[in-house]
Amino acid sequence: MAITLAVDAMGGDHGPRVTVPASLSVLKTHPALNLVLVGQENLIRPLLARLTSEESSRVSILHTDEVVLMDDKVAVALRNKRNSSMRLAINLVHEGKAAACVSAGNTGALMAVSRFVLKTHAGIDRPAIMTALPTVKGHCHMLDLGANVDSEAVHLLQFAQMGSLVASALDGIDRPRVGLLNIGEEEIKGNDLIKEANGLLKDSGLNYIGYVEGDGVFAGEADVVVCDGFVGNIALKTTEGVARMFGAFVKEEINRNLFTKLAGAIAIPIWNGLRQRMDPGRYNGASLVGLTGIVIKSHGSADQKSFANAIRVALKEVEKDIPSLIAGRLQPAAGV
Amino acid sequence: MAITLAVDAMGGDHGPRVTVPASLSVLKTHPALNLVLVGQENLIRPLLARLTSEESSRVSILHTDEVVLMDDKVAVALRNKRNSSMRLAINLVHEGKAAACVSAGNTGALMAVSRFVLKTHAGIDRPAIMTALPTVKGHCHMLDLGANVDSEAVHLLQFAQMGSLVASALDGIDRPRVGLLNIGEEEIKGNDLIKEANGLLKDSGLNYIGYVEGDGVFAGEADVVVCDGFVGNIALKTTEGVARMFGAFVKEEINRNLFTKLAGAIAIPIWNGLRQRMDPGRYNGASLVGLTGIVIKSHGSADQKSFANAIRVALKEVEKDIPSLIAGRLQPAAGV
């Protein structure tokens, strides 16, 4: 079955010269994929020159001159830029003309515009940002990663419900283990929010395994890790920072002397293996769960390979029909 | 000048068989150091057999049978175990018989007992847990790491003031750059707490550089990173988890095939260099700042090398006379 994705070609630090080739690389390997590239036609068109005619028939351009800048305020994106590439891409999802949209644009704007256009499911107060993270055992899913900075316990419960459904669908796990991110250093662990959410999760019917600490996330203790967006974003960026520091240390240790340089050269397959496993690009593509349509957020600094990964995340969510899944399971509960 | 340190010999996952040899290793290299080892004499005494008579003259044992267990509740440690090794070690600091104490025991108990016995400085509402963390440029200091899970803005300001003083003294930096840990994904960044603290910090007279994100911590953007204890502990544990995952990945990549095993063996100097730089033990020894005496918390799972590092942190804080420094600078301000 044909799937149409809308790509905000202008989003991200690099714009069309990353988003368009990345999109086309996925187009070539997915014969059922159709793309609508939204943005400035004069920038996008030249990048399509090398497509076969069959491939060209699966790509269209939706032209607009308006772009949400990386530092635009949410209010500007929402009110003053109603023809932005971001907004038009989301509109395509709303109108049923695209099954999902992918953008590397400003997260705050993407979240606000998506929420305004697509709305959340009944029973879901707030959308959340969810992504996969590597663990020693494979990966886990974590949410919220920054959409909500003052979550209440009931929001954490909703994140858990959505996360469990998504992890189950994407990974084929029957009852994903859901953990609540907490600290272990206090007599009565955690703050009031965590304690209240813990109570709700215990009664949720989910496969709730209790508290998970920051190190437990990467030890693979849970399939889904739930947290407030402030804490989740700090944890996510910390992960990126530590991984980057590790990369810098590896380089410095290799360059220490002639012998380490030689040893480093011999060990190239090891570095490549490590790079692949720690590569943030491999995990690029965060889902804005809780909306009635699929919106995938790419890292703003994504390169072609990373942006292509975000598109594949969108494809996978379309295949699993994540929004219907969430709507189907949560709406009856909301009516109880 | 002679310095006497009190060591809670019973604390931590391993007790005297780690804490005592670790303490003695520092004793041997610091001729001015005197140790009071607090705990069960029958367990400690045999571990002192190999000391020279000069070394023996600098070690004494303060016997007690009572021990705070790693899972003891704070209330139990505080009310029911008034003769615990932890409590007696802290008492020695309070009585001026030791310049500092070091414990690998239960963090919640150590914080509560220290606070009860030693009290905070005038002008400081709550002590904070502070430690050094590696960055690509060297290290930074971060606080609070878990003592306070619902900090108010004024507490974050106090953490910043204390952190700046400590970093200045320990690292010899004139005006340490102080950053406030925040996220970058929101229109108006951060939550209410962060915004309020940001205002206070701007007017604090500190070298406040504004917001630092999770990745900026490890990029070395600030000398002192301030945060609520819940967030700080999540970030700290996340760091540990990612580092451990990286170690596991390195091992797996080396064991992938015969060639990578060989390459891995040749690259041993690189691994050793990396291990040393990422070694959490190298950063073991968190300070409970804000108290009228020096209390250093070691990781519960610390090995000898790590625990010895915590003792060296205590020595350094004694040499710099951190509590007087904090009292001297903050008390006048509190009277304004």
Side-chain angles (χ1 to χ4, degrees), chain B residues 43-281:
Chain B
L43 295 177
I44 298 171
R45 181 71 65 197
L47 298 165
L48 306 182
R50 292 196 177 182
L51 292 182
T52 67
S53 63
E54 187 279 329
E55 287 161 359
S56 292
S57 73
R58 294 191 279 125
V59 180
S60 60
I61 298 174
L62 176 58
H63 172 75
T64 178
D65 281 323
E66 219 165 71
V67 173
V68 173
L69 303 177
M70 292 308 267
D71 54 358
D72 268 345
K73 294 205 168 163
V74 168
V76 170
L78 205 52
R79 285 181 220 136
N80 306 358
K81 296 195 170 177
R82 297 185 193 190
N83 289 307
S84 71
S85 59
M86 181 189 282
R87 174 70 167 263
L88 295 186
I90 296 168
N91 284 348
L92 289 173
V93 177
H94 180 59
E95 294 156 5
K97 293 177 184 165
C101 94
V102 181
S103 175
N106 181 330
T107 310
L110 185 65
M111 177 56 80
V113 175
S114 300
R115 194 175 172 181
F116 178 76
V117 174
L118 294 170
K119 315 289 186 243
T120 54
H121 293 293
I124 298 295
D125 296 325
R126 301 169 171 198
I129 300 175
M130 174 169 178
T131 197
L133 284 176
T135 73
V136 291
K137 293 177 183 170
H139 69 265
C140 69
H141 299 271
M142 194 160 165
L143 74 168
D144 173 37
L145 295 172
N148 308 282
V149 295
D150 276 309
S151 306
E152 294 165 25
V154 65
H155 302 138
L156 296 184
L157 172 64
Q158 292 171 5
F159 299 165
Q161 290 166 328
M162 295 192 291
S164 178
L165 285 169
V166 176
S168 176
L170 294 183
D171 298 338
I173 310 169
D174 190 28
R175 301 191 72 229
R177 296 163 301 155
V178 177
L180 182 59
L181 190 63
N182 195 7
I183 70 173
E185 299 291 350
E186 278 293 302
E187 179 191 21
I188 304 158
K189 293 178 179 181
N191 51 26
D192 293 342
L193 168 70
I194 293 296
K195 286 173 216 164
E196 193 185 339
N198 182 50
L200 294 178
L201 284 163
K202 278 183 181 166
D203 295 336
S204 66
L206 296 169
N207 183 11
Y208 176 57
I209 60 163
Y211 297 137
V212 172
E213 289 192 60
D215 49 348
V217 173
F218 300 93
E221 288 177 7
D223 301 308
V224 178
V225 178
V226 174
C227 55
D228 168 62
F230 187 85
V231 175
N233 192 268
I234 297 284
L236 180 72
K237 293 286 174 69
T238 296
T239 305
E240 292 175 12
V242 174
R244 213 169 290 142
M245 178 173 71
F246 200 95
F249 284 177
V250 166
K251 267 188 201 137
E252 285 179 28
E253 290 302 323
I254 290 175
N255 287 320
R256 190 171 285 278
N257 58 49
L258 207 64
F259 177 78
T260 53
K261 277 183 192 171
L262 184 68
I266 292 169
I268 282 175
I270 299 176
W271 308 129
N272 288 344
L274 282 175
R275 196 171 296 128
Q276 208 180 356
R277 295 181 75 161
M278 295 290 283
D279 179 16

Side-chain angles (χ1 to χ4, degrees), chain A residues 223-269:
Chain A
D223 300 308
V224 178
V225 177
V226 174
C227 54
D228 169 62
F230 187 85
V231 174
N233 193 268
I234 296 284
L236 180 71
K237 292 287 173 70
T238 296
T239 305
E240 291 174 13
V242 174
R244 214 171 287 140
M245 178 174 71
F246 200 95
F249 284 177
V250 166
K251 267 188 201 137
E252 285 178 28
E253 290 302 322
I254 289 176
N255 288 321
R256 190 170 284 277
N257 58 47
L258 207 64
F259 177 78
T260 53
K261 278 183 192 170
L262 185 67
I266 292 169
I268 281 175

Side-chain angles (χ1 to χ4, degrees), chain B residues 20-38:
Chain B
V20 175
S23 303
L24 300 181
S25 72
V26 183
L27 184 87
K28 284 173 192 289
T29 54
H30 287 74
L33 175 61
N34 294 292
L35 289 173
V36 184
L37 303 173
V38 188

